[in-house]
Amino acid sequence: QVQLVESGGGLVQAGGSLRLSCAASGRAFSRYGAGWFRQAPGKEREFVAGISDSGDSTYYGDSVRGRFTISRDNAKNTVTLQMNSLKPEDTAVYYCAADRAVVPGSPLEYEYDYWGQGTQVTVSS
């Protein structure tokens, strides 16, 4: 069992940066692939970024590639999403997700069994 808690969301102007963190509890988190998803009002949940259990492999959705960076620190059981050059269309609730059996970087929600409660990111124009 893994519990995930996101933090770091907030209000930022377009062009600014935010750093989201996902703290995981439970043993053996280093064996779990992880990812970030987001959901804007009235829209489907969207894959943002994924990372393998070791952290060696990272994956990004087309809309954030080149602006966002996912990383993890298995010693601290954390996954981080650094978001730069933010745009108003990045406004959404951001969710951290993890699963032991997920294909690294999978954009499919159903492949992740564990989810955080979400953190709001609002980018003003």
Side-chain angles (χ1 to χ4, degrees):
Q1 291 285 340
V2 172
Q3 291 184 325
L4 305 172
V5 178
E6 303 96 335
S7 62
L11 174 64
V12 65
Q13 289 188 332
S17 298
L18 277 176
R19 188 178 181 89
L20 303 184
S21 291
C22 174
S25 63
R27 297 190 301 174
F29 182 67
S30 61
R31 299 179 184 177
Y32 287 68
W36 287 92
F37 289 75
R38 68 185 182 186
Q39 188 167 22
K43 294 188 176 182
E44 298 287 323
R45 194 173 296 188
E46 174 190 19
F47 172 76
V48 174
I51 190 165
S52 61
D53 52 2
S54 66
D56 289 344
S57 299
T58 57
Y59 309 83
Y60 297 94
D62 290 341
S63 61
V64 307
R65 188 175 292 111
R67 300 188 296 124
F68 291 10
T69 302
I70 188 171
S71 61
R72 68 188 296 163
D73 184 339
N74 284 337
K76 297 181 179 179
N77 279 7
T78 58
V79 178
T80 299
L81 185 68
Q82 177 66 44
M83 306 186 295
N84 298 329
S85 302
L86 283 162
K87 305 175 181 180
E89 51 263 45
D90 293 318
T91 295
V93 178
Y94 283 70
Y95 298 90
C96 177
D99 195 277
R100 188 164 178 173
V102 66
V103 173
S106 172
L108 304 175
E109 292 182 56
Y110 63 78
E111 292 201 358
Y112 297 83
D113 277 348
Y114 302 99
W115 292 81
Q117 81 289 350
T119 186
Q120 176 70 47
V121 171
T122 303
V123 184
S124 63
S125 57

